[in-house]
Amino acid sequence: MTTGTLITVAPTGAESAKADVPALPVTLDELLLTAKECEALGAAVIHVHIRDDEARPTLDLGRLRATVAALRENTDLIVQLSTGGAVTDPEADRLAVLDAGPEMASCTMGTVNFGDDVFLNRWEFIVELHTRMQDRGILPEYEIFDLGHLATLRRLLDRYGLPAGGHVHVDFVMGVPGGMPGTIEALVACVQALRDLPAGTTFSATGIGRSSVPVLLASLAAGGHLRVGMEDTLTWAKGRPVESNMQLVARAVGAAQLAQRPPLSPAQARELLGLAVAR
Ligand code: KMH
Ligand code: ZN
């Protein structure tokens, strides 16, 4: 059954510098304003990376806790903290992100070349993230950068069981230099591979850079959900930088409405994902 569209906004990421991208939300105030505006437009989930006072990526636990609390107080969005962090972040710090108590957290299903860097996700680390989230009732969003990551997810679920709440949600991150391309063919291959995962598994997709729009349209057409935001997309059209995360969320909302699958509210998204509705 096709449902409405779950829209996740990933407003900041860890890869872009504020000096290069002035519209990037890096302070807590900027993040809160973005979150409120994106929620009003139709986002239901916020995928969060935070920055320090110099706008550098950080996994500082105090800041993460304050960010989760502020987003809860000021929005109804589902807060999904990134455990991916920046490519340089140590595993211990990435695991400690869960101590900030988010409703959701990302959980990447394998190592991938990441431009000139390597985004390292060893099997033992994946298991540790997955089982800690199980114990704490945090819903993972399994990040899939390549087709083989879905095989890893199957192995993980077979050996260690379903996430807390029982619902499996994956996000295809497409077009990273080193990962799968942001093409319809790659998306279809991923969607077909979902048949090896539990019935009812849901997926969203995001295309990095110029694959943003094709992936957005293909995901909607395939019954999937959407992730958009300045973590993944900094160019609106040829020669035109993205002006704000709101611009990207508005585009996703428009496409979802065109597809007759309007945006899910945060409450509807919680129902879809098997999260407790009352907080
Ligand atoms: N910043 C990338 C190295 C995630 O948030 O879980 C990893 C990333 C994935 O963004
Ligand atoms: Zn991220």
Side-chain angles (χ1 to χ4, degrees):
M1 196 183 67
T2 310
T3 67
T5 304
L6 172 73
I7 298 179
T8 298
V9 61
T12 309
E15 275 68 44
S16 299
K18 179 77 169 173
D20 299 333
V21 188
L24 203 65
V26 294
T27 66
L28 184 54
D29 283 349
E30 287 171 347
L31 183 67
L32 286 178
L33 186 61
T34 299
K36 284 191 255 188
E37 292 184 350
C38 291
E39 181 181 17
L41 287 167
V45 178
I46 185 162
H47 170 86
V48 178
H49 292 253
I50 60 165
R51 302 292 176 102
D52 66 13
D53 288 339
E54 275 76 51
R56 292 175 306 217
T58 178
L59 295 180
D60 179 84
L61 194 51
R63 277 180 188 258
L64 283 169
R65 286 197 172 116
T67 302
V68 170
L71 285 167
R72 283 212 175 122
E73 203 175 307
N74 289 281
T75 76
D76 193 32
L77 291 168
I78 298 168
V79 178
Q80 180 192 101
L81 290 184
S82 166
T83 67
V87 285
T88 46
D89 284 322
E91 289 179 348
D93 293 358
R94 292 172 58 193
L95 287 167
V97 165
L98 303 180
D99 297 343
E103 232 177 326
M104 287 184 82
S106 59
C107 183
T108 296
M109 284 297 103
T111 296
V112 64
N113 284 322
F114 203 87
D116 295 340
D117 298 307
V118 176
F119 180 30
L120 188 66
N121 294 284
R122 299 179 308 113
W123 170 249
E124 290 83 357
F125 175 70
I126 291 171
V127 169
E128 193 60 37
L129 260 182
H130 172 78
T131 51
R132 282 195 197 190
M133 284 195 232
Q134 258 175 343
D135 292 345
R136 297 173 192 202
I138 299 169
L139 180 70
E141 175 175 274
Y142 299 106
E143 306 292 347
I144 308 298
F145 287 74
D146 222 334
L147 187 58
H149 290 185
L150 285 170
T152 301
L153 176 56
R154 165 89 191 264
R155 180 176 176 227
L156 183 72
L157 300 178
D158 283 352
R159 293 194 183 183
Y160 296 93
L162 291 170
H167 184 85
V168 179
H169 180 69
V170 305
D171 179 49
F172 304 138
V173 186
M174 313 184 71
V176 168
M180 64 180 152
T183 60
I184 292 173
E185 291 80 3
L187 185 87
V188 168
C190 286
V191 172
Q192 285 176 339
L194 292 181
R195 67 181 161 224
D196 295 329
L197 292 173
T201 296
T202 51
F203 73 94
S204 58
T206 182
I208 306 300
R210 68 179 56 185
S211 68
S212 297
V213 173
V215 166
L216 179 149
L217 296 172
S219 185
L220 280 174
H225 301 278
L226 304 176
R227 169 173 132 170
V228 295
M230 295 178 74
E231 174 166 346
D232 303 332
T233 308
L234 293 171
T235 302
W236 175 257
K238 199 165 183 213
R240 281 183 60 195
V242 166
E243 286 163 17
S244 72
N245 282 286
M246 287 66 86
Q247 192 185 20
L248 295 168
V249 171
R251 178 163 72 182
V253 169
Q257 280 164 343
L258 188 66
Q260 306 287 302
R261 293 183 46 214
L264 295 175
S265 67
Q268 291 169 323
R270 285 189 175 88
E271 210 175 312
L272 177 81
L273 298 170
L275 289 164
V277 172
R279 291 193 290 136

